Amino acid sequence: MRRVTYRREGNSNIISMSKTLEPMVTVVIVSFNTREILANCLDALFKSGMGREMEVFVVDNDSRDQSAEMVAERFPEARLIANRQNLGFAAANNQAFRQASGEYIVLLNPDAYVGPSSIPNAVRFMNEHPECGLCGGKIISPEGRLEPSARRFPSPLTKLLTLSGLRAKFPKSRWLNWHEFGDFAHDRPMEVDWVPGTFTIVRKAMLDKIGPFDERFFIYYEETDLCLRAKKAGWKVFFIPNAEVMHIGGASSKTRKDKTFDSAASQVLSFRMRSEWLYYRKNYGIATMLASAGIELLWFSMRYLKNLLIPTGDAARKKEMARSTISQVTRSVADTRFGKFSPPIPW
């Protein structure tokens, strides 16, 4: 019989279970107001066949939909960290990292459902490639479409290709969709720059050497920053096709009804901008940070003027969207003091 113990740490209540076996894999799920989606995620996870070789942490960021209570009641085999405030994605994951006993740590979004062989295949790849610090799997939408699963590091140029619509118009182009390996069939393992945190397996020995997520990133860009740090330390990052997950996308972010979202309705715009400026300033300096912000500011200024001077169709809506984006660019630059400062949490 397992013995359940309760203890208090900082601003969270931690429900932990004593274990007789050291698990090989630690799975970490950070939740925020995704109660039913999270339940489906955990159902799929515990049916994946890992059994005693897996421990599962659910870190709940002060959900108001009783997500934490649901986990405690329906999934007692999970170790629940119930935070009293929203600490953000990076800090919440780090809470679990500090307690993880697995040789590998799997990051899993609550709106991502693993296939039966996804984790075993990822573990096998890591075992066979000791130079790999972390790898990501193939991400599929509920409709069966391939989502971005392998990426190069972002740059002001990739931002311009995205804003101009060229990347979306030519998704299979080697050059116009360079950021997402547009010409890659996603049918074989490949070394990449970074992989999304939707489903990522991380070597704990690497984290012990380079450190966990940078908690200045409340949400977004923390996994990009971690992959960049891994590569600078000599580790490799891979995409593997036989670790597949179905991803709904943006489930937690969409609960923020008080925020503006990007055109794909999956990212909170102001949060993405803040993290982007922090990432560029930290890793490439103020010139790259200003270039990225400047491109976004210039692009939406041009859109505003176009719809003001040559209005067609829903010009009023487009003009308002451009005006709002311009405002959020300038505000986020000020909020982060040109990428040097992370605003107090919760964002």
Side-chain angles (χ1 to χ4, degrees):
M1 179 179 295
R2 296 189 177 191
R3 178 171 55 86
V4 182
T5 59
Y6 296 81
R7 58 191 174 86
R8 195 176 298 274
E9 178 181 291
N11 60 357
S12 63
N13 296 318
I14 301 180
I15 303 173
S16 59
M17 288 191 167
S18 60
K19 304 179 296 302
T20 58
L21 294 174
E22 285 297 310
M24 186 177 184
V25 176
T26 299
V27 180
V28 181
I29 303 171
V30 175
S31 68
F32 178 67
N33 292 330
T34 55
R35 184 178 187 273
E36 294 308 316
I37 291 174
L38 172 61
N40 294 335
C41 171
L42 288 167
D43 273 330
L45 179 62
F46 285 117
K47 290 176 182 176
S48 65
M50 289 297 292
R52 288 179 177 270
E53 296 179 341
M54 177 178 70
E55 68 173 355
V56 178
F57 283 87
V58 176
V59 188
D60 185 76
N61 267 334
D62 194 29
S63 294
R64 302 306 170 90
D65 64 351
Q66 296 190 320
S67 289
E69 291 81 355
M70 179 277 295
V71 173
E73 179 181 348
R74 293 173 55 181
F75 299 94
E77 60 268 63
R79 300 179 65 182
L80 173 66
I81 303 178
N83 288 324
R84 299 172 186 168
Q85 65 171 317
N86 187 348
L87 301 182
F89 184 78
N93 272 291
N94 287 349
Q95 286 180 294
F97 291 171
R98 288 192 288 268
Q99 300 182 53
S101 54
E103 181 180 351
Y104 301 115
I105 298 175
V106 172
L107 309 181
L108 184 65
N109 278 7
D111 58 355
Y113 308 138
V114 296
S117 60
S118 297
I119 294 178
N121 286 343
V123 169
R124 186 176 304 112
F125 183 88
M126 296 293 282
N127 285 338
E128 294 172 353
H129 296 82
E131 76 281 9
C132 179
L134 65 162
C135 73
K138 183 184 287 187
I139 304 171
I140 304 296
S141 74
E143 296 76 28
R145 295 190 304 268
L146 175 69
E147 291 190 354
S149 306
R151 288 173 167 171
R152 290 186 172 94
F153 291 125
S155 69
L157 175 58
T158 60
K159 175 181 285 290
L160 182 59
L161 292 172
T162 298
L163 290 174
S164 66
L166 288 171
R167 185 165 66 84
K169 190 173 182 179
F170 301 98
K172 296 185 178 180
S173 168
R174 171 178 296 187
W175 304 113
L176 296 179
N177 195 17
W178 179 84
H179 177 56
E180 294 177 353
F181 294 90
D183 61 332
F184 175 46
H186 291 73
D187 57 354
R188 58 182 172 81
M190 184 173 72
E191 185 177 356
V192 298
D193 283 347
W194 71 280
V195 288
T198 305
F199 173 82
T200 308
I201 186 167
V202 183
R203 192 179 300 275
K204 190 170 187 296
M206 183 198 74
L207 284 182
D208 292 339
K209 291 182 178 179
I210 72 171
F213 282 132
D214 185 337
E215 295 185 11
R216 286 177 292 180
F217 300 102
F218 180 75
I219 188 171
Y220 313 134
Y221 280 86
E222 61 284 300
E223 70 267 57
T224 316
D225 177 75
L226 182 67
C227 289
L228 181 58
R229 287 162 45 210
K231 282 185 164 285
K232 287 180 177 178
W235 296 93
K236 292 185 177 181
V237 178
F238 279 86
F239 159 83
I240 58 173
N242 63 348
E244 188 170 301
V245 295
M246 192 272 282
H247 183 223
I248 296 174
S252 293
S253 297
K254 290 172 183 174
T255 65
R256 293 296 300 263
K257 304 301 183 183
D258 58 327
K259 299 296 180 182
T260 304
F261 291 81
D262 62 12
S263 58
S266 61
Q267 289 187 329
V268 177
L269 199 59
S270 61
F271 292 1
R272 187 271 294 168
M273 290 177 180
R274 287 177 171 185
S275 290
E276 187 174 337
W277 316 148
L278 289 166
Y279 170 81
Y280 280 129
R281 183 67 184 269
K282 172 187 176 181
N283 293 298
Y284 301 102
I286 191 170
T288 304
M289 177 261 142
L290 288 174
S292 186
I295 286 172
E296 195 151 2
L297 194 63
L298 179 61
W299 180 263
F300 284 99
S301 296
M302 292 170 58
R303 289 200 65 180
Y304 181 87
L305 288 173
K306 185 269 178 189
N307 286 285
L308 175 68
L309 301 175
I310 315 173
T312 57
D314 58 348
R317 182 189 64 82
K318 292 179 179 179
K319 187 173 68 173
E320 175 55 27
M321 185 189 75
R323 185 207 61 76
S324 174
T325 304
I326 292 167
S327 174
Q328 293 194 65
V329 171
T330 55
R331 178 64 183 271
S332 60
V333 168
D335 288 344
T336 60
R337 301 174 190 171
F338 291 85
K340 289 182 65 177
F341 171 76
S342 180
I345 62 169
W347 285 7

